Amino acid sequence: MKQVIKNVLTDKQIPLLVTILWTVVFTLALFFLEQSVLAFMGVLLSLLLVYYTKTSNAVRLTLGVLILLVLIPLVAGDNRYYMEVASQVGIYVAMALGLNIVVGFAGLLDLGYVAFFAAGAYAYAIFATAQANEFIPGDLFPLGGEWFWPFLIVGLLVAAVFGILLGLPVLRVKGDYLAIVTLGFGEIIRIIFNNLDHPVNITNGPQGLTPIATPELFGYPLNTPFYFYFIVLFVIGFIVLANIRFEHSRLGRAWIAIREDELAAQSMGIPLLNTKLAAFAAGASFAGVVGVIFAAKQTFIDPTSFTLMESIGILVMVILGGSGSIPGVVLGAAFVTVLQVQLLKEFSNFLHALNTSGVISLPNQLDPSKFQRLIFGVLLILAALYRPNGLIPAKRNINDLEEIKKSRFAKQKLGILANLDESKRQTS
Amino acid sequence: MLSILPQVLIDGLTLGFMYAVVALGYTMVYGILEFINFAHGEIFMVGAFVGTEVLLISESLGILQEMNPFVAFLLSLLLAMVVSGALGVGVERVAYRPLRGAPRLVALISAIGVSFLLQDLVRFTEAVARNEFYLNSPTLFSGAIGIGDFAQIPVKAIVVIAFAIVMMVTLTLFINKTKWGIAMRAVAQDQSTASLMTINVDKVILLTFLIGSSLGGATGVLFAQNYGTIDPYIGFILGLKAFTAAVLGGIGNIRGAMVGGVLLGLLESLAGAYLDTLTFGVFGSEYKDVFAFSILILVLLLKPEGLFGEAVKEKV
């Protein structure tokens, strides 16, 4: 027992048995206790436990997929509220993973990220409502729900184009300036969306767009949070895969080199602007896909959903979780979203209940659910002061030189050296 | 169309001088620490609230009606400067000093955190104390001086511009003539060398924050007097614009911040008045914020050192 506790605390490794027990207990609790927030939190937390479990990768992956695809839908599936929270968490996880490419890998602080999200959301919303009839003649719109699927790609492309267009001028500045400029661009985009109801009515201005068609699959409407949960999971799977592939690709290593030292990277022959643009476009395109899902899920969008607050919120998720670290970002996004949409609300309700029963008297202005900014602020300061690398810092691959020397490729010479050998053999 | 021009220019000048004084705060901190104090706009906002609260409280106590408006104005200005100056120093001590050696990104994130924290704290306090967080400041200076038939110069605009100029002149004298001013310039040049010359770098940085923040807070009072209504979110956008002004003039350069501020205020005011007519109604005055940000982006792209700054070569 002592050994187990020591393992958990020092090596952060949890025995498989504990993880399974935890998951089973909380799943059963969620099944039997209706509306138990604690139990739901426990089930979500079990994913973190799985991450730290001391077992092979394959087993951990299977466990995680099992919890996400089978346990959660099975136990909480008929509860709209839980699925709503879960799909909301998913949407933010996906966005944070997109921003992770820009901030975490390439080190470009982007404070206008929500603009790309807006681009994706509006791309779908304009054509999935009657809005497009305002500027395209022929009464062709709204498009039906089966168009949702191709529009996932359209949203991706639109946002990527946006990313490149914004990136071209913006990326010539760096550091703090980049943060301010992207922030300004985010605001510009919001103002434009807010005012594009004249002279040609494209976005319907502050009134927003509704009703946006819900997705359909083979004529069957997918209109409950239950289905959106799976759509979001599918997209997250795709984005995580892309993140992992990017990280270890040539481009990904170029991003990390730029993040560490721009000047050194440039002198090693990395084209600065192209590489940064690629990061901007990749991050933006993921936000665009998520925007399409968001528009379809809410069936209503207006410019107030795309404020600076949202950009900062996503940034908080990335920084708090650990920028550049995929599990960290997922944890950060899940934590911040659950805090926002569930914990604060529950706490508010709890205080309300105390208020009405007369135990305490609290003025209405002290409602905790209104303190998003305060909590974000405190989280940002604390993260900067105490965990500048995040909750789960990004791991660096450490190359073991001895191991490399022993490997069967060690004798083989590459590049100029190989040519040298070749020419030596020819001359002798 | 041209008949409103004098009025537009007066409004633009008033706004511009406010940008200029707030921009001084950004420029001073940037000149010394090479770091954008994101929370400076919020310190301006706190100053506006403190000044307005002083006036509101003395109004409800019945003192304000008997006081000379100038005395009341000076009193609120002074208190706002003390509180916002102390706040600036406190923020530096808690959120920036521990991060001085850390990467710049981390300090920037902490600054954004401080700015959000302050917004909600002010909203929270006002909501508890007054049950609302939009405050209407009592007007001390009403009336206007007419110049022929062209324009009316409101007395409050004259007061705002006069005080802004007084503050800027005092700051320039302070930096150029006093011992502490010289120490500040030395630290801005090179921290480690300055510390070898028996300059206490920490103290100089604290002083910079104190002066910049109290100037920002004083501008908040001027803002409240000029526009009448304030809310906890005025600081962020105004701070961004003031930062734009600082960049326009050349960040780290005091004279540049002043010129940049006045220029930006005039441009914005002109854009607000004439964008509609110039583009034949396609873009209205709601695009004036877009205008300010576009200036920022253009300046950063075309002349990143600003109007008065020197181009900095990157050292390898």
Side-chain angles (χ1 to χ4, degrees), chain B residues 21 44 47-48 77 80-81 84 167 213-223:
Chain B
V21 186
F44 156 87
L77 207 61
M81 283 175 89
S84 52
M167 285 194 279
S213 304
S214 54
L215 286 184
T219 325
V221 180
L222 299 183
F223 182 92

Side-chain angles (χ1 to χ4, degrees), chain A residues 169 177 365-366 370 373-374, chain B residues 119-120 123-124 131 301:
Chain A
Y177 284 135
Q365 290 81 15
L366 295 182
K370 290 180 186 161
R373 279 170 198 254
L374 189 116
Chain B
Q119 284 177 9
D120 249 11
R123 203 197 59 169
F124 174 81
N131 212 7
L301 289 179

Side-chain angles (χ1 to χ4, degrees), chain A residues 103 107-109 111 168-170 172-181 183-185 187-188 191-192 195-196 198-199 263 308-309 312 315 319 363 365-367 370-378 380-381 383-385 388, chain B residues 30 34-36 38 94-95 98-99 104-106 108-110 112-114 116-117 119-121 123-124 127-128 131-132 233 236-237 240 243 247 251 281-284 286-287 289-290 293-294 296-297 300-301 304 314-316:
Chain A
V103 177
L108 307 165
L109 193 60
L111 290 181
L168 265 178
V170 164
R172 289 177 200 275
V173 299
K174 54 185 171 185
D176 302 0
Y177 284 135
L178 181 69
I180 301 270
V181 170
L183 194 161
F185 253 131
E187 283 293 287
I188 290 178
I191 294 172
I192 288 176
N195 290 304
L196 219 57
H198 65 271
L263 225 53
L308 176 68
M309 230 8 233
I312 303 266
L315 184 72
I319 303 287
Q365 290 81 15
L366 295 182
D367 193 350
K370 290 180 186 161
F371 284 94
Q372 226 188 54
R373 279 170 198 254
L374 189 116
I375 289 162
F376 274 6
V378 172
L380 278 176
I381 299 171
L385 289 179
Chain B
Y30 194 91
E34 297 217 334
F35 146 74
I36 299 171
F38 230 109
V94 175
L99 296 173
R104 297 237 302 260
L105 211 65
V106 180
L108 187 69
I109 283 158
S110 162
I112 297 174
V114 170
F116 277 120
L117 182 70
Q119 284 177 9
D120 249 11
L121 271 185
R123 203 197 59 169
F124 174 81
V128 170
N131 212 7
E132 61 184 355
Y233 307 114
F236 205 83
I237 287 294
L240 273 181
F243 175 77
V247 172
I251 196 152
V282 177
F283 298 113
E286 64 270 15
Y287 281 96
D289 283 0
V290 172
F293 291 132
S294 312
L296 173 70
I297 293 162
L300 283 178
L301 289 179
E314 195 157 356
K315 281 172 254 173
V316 183

Side-chain angles (χ1 to χ4, degrees), chain B residues 60-269:
Chain B
S60 63
L61 290 176
I63 320 170
L64 188 68
Q65 290 80 349
E66 287 152 29
M67 251 193 289
N68 183 320
F70 267 105
V71 177
F73 181 62
L74 282 179
L75 189 73
S76 69
L77 207 61
L78 201 69
L79 267 167
M81 283 175 89
V82 169
V83 172
S84 52
L87 185 66
V89 168
V91 166
E92 196 274 338
R93 190 76 194 74
V94 175
Y96 301 154
R97 189 181 295 181
L99 296 173
R100 217 173 277 162
R104 297 237 302 260
L105 211 65
V106 180
L108 187 69
I109 283 158
S110 162
I112 297 174
V114 170
S115 123
F116 277 120
L117 182 70
L118 286 178
Q119 284 177 9
D120 249 11
L121 271 185
V122 169
R123 203 197 59 169
F124 174 81
T125 345
E126 289 301 328
V128 170
R130 292 201 181 270
N131 212 7
E132 61 184 355
F133 49 83
Y134 287 84
L135 290 191
N136 282 313
S137 173
T139 34
L140 293 172
F141 309 102
S142 48
I145 303 166
I147 312 174
D149 290 334
F150 299 117
Q152 300 273 319
I153 306 181
V155 178
K156 57 187 182 186
I158 297 175
V159 173
V160 167
I161 294 176
F163 269 90
I165 291 175
V166 168
M167 285 194 279
M168 291 194 288
V169 170
T170 322
L171 179 70
T172 317
L173 287 178
F174 177 81
I175 287 182
N176 287 328
K177 304 283 180 202
T178 63
K179 219 166 153 186
W180 279 103
I182 294 166
M184 273 164 78
R185 282 187 291 157
V187 172
Q189 284 288 325
D190 189 334
Q191 281 190 25
S192 52
T193 314
S195 75
L196 290 176
M197 304 292 167
T198 69
I199 292 174
N200 187 337
V201 174
D202 275 343
K203 262 191 191 158
V204 171
I205 290 173
L206 270 187
L207 185 73
T208 311
F209 270 87
L210 179 75
I211 294 173
S213 304
S214 54
L215 286 184
T219 325
V221 180
L222 299 183
F223 182 92
Q225 271 306 308
N226 200 35
Y227 295 104
T229 319
I230 52 171
D231 67 72
Y233 307 114
I234 53 171
F236 205 83
I237 287 294
L238 193 130
L240 273 181
K241 301 250 185 81
F243 175 77
T244 305
V247 172
L248 183 63
I251 196 152
N253 183 316
I254 304 264
R255 197 162 48 118
M258 298 178 195
V259 177
V262 175
L263 212 59
L264 187 72
L266 281 175
L267 279 174
E268 195 184 313
S269 178

